[in-house]
Amino acid sequence: MRKTLLVSFMLLLSFVLIACGSSESNEENSNGDKQKEEASNEKWSEIQEEGEIVVGTSGTLFPASYYPQDSDELTGYDVEVMRKVAEKLGVELKFEEYGVDGLLTAINSGRVDVVINDMEVTEDRKKQFSFSEPYKYSYSTMIVRESDLSGIETLEDLEGKKHGGGATTVFSQIAEHFGAETKTYGNVTNDVYLRDVENGRTDFIINDYYLQSLALKAMPDIEVQLHPDLQFHPTNSAIVMPKDADKLKEEIDAALQELRENGTLTEISKEFFGGKDASKKPEEDVRELEGLDL
C-alpha cells in the first residue's frame, strides 16, 4: 500500500514538474513572440508618432532623384513615387540627401527611416535590410565612348578597363568581377561621370538602362553613347528599410500596390522615362550574370 502511494506521489510530482516546465516554456515563447512583434511594429509606430517619414536619397541621380536646372525643388521618378507613398501612409515626407555610398549607412545609424534611390534588391543587401515590393524593373547596360565603344565588344573585354562609379554599388561589383578597376566619386552630378568617359579618364559606366538613357538625352553634347549590344543583369528597384521593420514594409507594400493598380506608377514613370513604363518588367532579352554573388 505504501509502495503504491509512493509511486502515485512520484507520478503526480512528475506531472507537476512537467506542467510547470511547459508553462515556463510557453511563457518564454510568448514573451519572445511579443518582443518580436514589438520590434516589428517599432519603426512604423515611431513614424506615426512623429507624423513624418524621413527618406534618404542622393538628389543627384537623374531622372530618379535630382534638381532640375534653375530649381531648388527635388524631383524624379523615385522622389515622386515616395511622395505618393507618404500620402497613402498619411504622414509628412522629409528628404535627407547623402552620397550613394552613405545611404544604407544612414538607415543603420537611424538618420533616415527608409532609402529610395534606384536601389537594387540583392541577396547580400537582403541579409541586412528589408525591401518593399519593386516599384521599378530594369536591367544594366553601359555608357562608352562614341568613337570606338571604348574598345569593348563583350563583358569579358572589361578586363583592364577603368569603370566610373560608386565603391559600394552593384554596378562596380559587376565591373570588378570582369576585371575592371573602379574610379570612385563623391556625390557628383552625371555630367562628371560622362565627361570622364569622353576624355578617357575612365572607359565605361555600368548603370541602369533607363537612368543612362535619360542622362544621355539630357547631355547630348558629350560624345558618349549606350553600348548597342550589351544588356545584362535584370534588376528590381525597391524602397529600403531596417531589417526588422515588418509593419512598415507591410504599410509601404500596400501603398505601392494601390499605386500600381490605379495606374499612378505607370503615369509617373512615363513622365520621367520618356514615355516608357519602368514599373513593369522589360521584354528585352537580358543576359543573366553567372558566378557573381550580388
Side-chain angles (χ1 to χ4, degrees):
M1 181 68 175
R2 290 179 61 189
K3 184 176 181 181
T4 302
L5 288 173
L6 180 60
V7 170
S8 298
F9 176 73
M10 290 177 67
L11 288 172
L12 178 61
L13 180 61
S14 297
F15 176 77
V16 171
L17 289 174
I18 291 170
C20 287
S22 176
S23 175
E24 288 173 2
S25 177
N26 288 337
E27 186 176 348
E28 287 176 4
N29 290 335
S30 177
N31 287 338
D33 291 342
K34 185 177 180 181
Q35 289 173 356
K36 186 176 180 180
E37 183 179 354
E38 287 175 353
S40 170
N41 293 336
E42 184 178 359
K43 177 54 73 174
W44 173 236
S45 298
E46 179 184 309
I47 290 169
Q48 284 186 302
E49 185 177 337
E50 293 292 331
E52 178 182 75
I53 185 167
V54 181
V55 180
T57 193
S58 69
T60 59
L61 186 62
F62 180 85
S65 171
Y66 70 103
Y67 290 91
Q69 189 172 2
D70 302 323
S71 173
D72 59 0
E73 179 70 23
L74 185 67
T75 190
Y77 177 60
D78 290 35
V79 169
E80 300 308 325
V81 167
M82 196 67 225
R83 291 193 203 280
K84 292 297 184 182
V85 168
E87 285 180 18
K88 296 295 181 186
L89 298 181
V91 295
E92 296 295 320
L93 176 63
K94 179 182 178 183
F95 285 107
E96 294 283 353
E97 294 170 27
Y98 295 90
V100 174
D101 294 338
L103 286 169
L104 297 181
T105 303
I107 292 180
N108 284 332
S109 66
R111 296 194 299 273
V112 301
D113 299 313
V114 303
V115 160
I116 188 166
N117 200 70
D118 199 48
M119 195 67 70
E120 182 183 340
V121 181
T122 68
E123 291 304 315
D124 188 51
R125 286 173 178 166
K126 283 165 68 175
K127 294 174 185 176
Q128 306 172 64
F129 303 95
S130 288
F131 286 85
S132 70
E133 290 300 308
Y135 61 85
K136 175 173 172 284
Y137 298 90
S138 188
Y139 56 87
S140 300
T141 184
M142 67 176 69
I143 286 175
V144 291
R145 282 185 290 279
E146 280 185 358
S147 58
D148 60 352
L149 302 184
S150 299
I152 298 168
E153 294 184 10
T154 69
L155 289 175
E156 286 68 28
D157 294 330
L158 300 185
E159 186 169 1
K161 302 286 187 181
K162 287 189 178 179
H163 169 247
T168 61
T169 65
V170 168
F171 308 116
S172 291
Q173 286 181 255
I174 294 172
E176 290 161 12
H177 173 77
F178 286 98
E181 172 191 347
T182 294
K183 171 180 167 58
T184 60
Y185 297 78
N187 201 24
V188 299
T189 52
N190 286 344
D191 64 298
V192 177
Y193 286 92
L194 299 185
R195 292 198 185 281
D196 274 4
V197 173
E198 180 187 43
N199 61 35
R201 289 194 181 94
T202 59
D203 298 301
F204 67 101
I205 305 164
I206 294 178
N207 211 304
D208 173 77
Y209 163 73
Y210 290 108
L211 299 188
Q212 291 196 323
S213 298
L214 271 293
L216 292 180
K217 186 176 180 180
M219 289 167 274
D221 61 311
I222 303 177
E223 295 181 358
V224 294
Q225 69 172 66
L226 286 180
H227 199 291
D229 303 319
L230 299 179
Q231 297 87 33
F232 50 94
H233 186 54
T235 59
N236 301 332
S237 296
I239 300 169
V240 195
M241 294 162 270
K243 181 66 176 174
D244 57 355
D246 297 338
K247 180 61 177 173
L248 176 59
K249 172 178 164 55
E250 180 184 321
E251 295 291 334
I252 288 178
D253 282 348
L256 287 171
Q257 181 63 23
E258 186 175 346
L259 294 172
R260 185 180 301 282
E261 290 175 353
N262 66 22
T264 300
L265 290 186
T266 295
E267 181 182 337
I268 298 173
S269 175
K270 287 184 175 181
E271 177 185 353
F272 288 98
F273 294 118
K276 298 177 181 179
D277 189 359
S279 71
K280 296 179 180 176
K281 293 182 179 180
E283 298 178 355
E284 286 83 358
D285 184 18
V286 181
R287 175 181 170 182
E288 294 273 4
L289 299 182
E290 298 179 357
L292 184 55
D293 184 18
L294 297 173

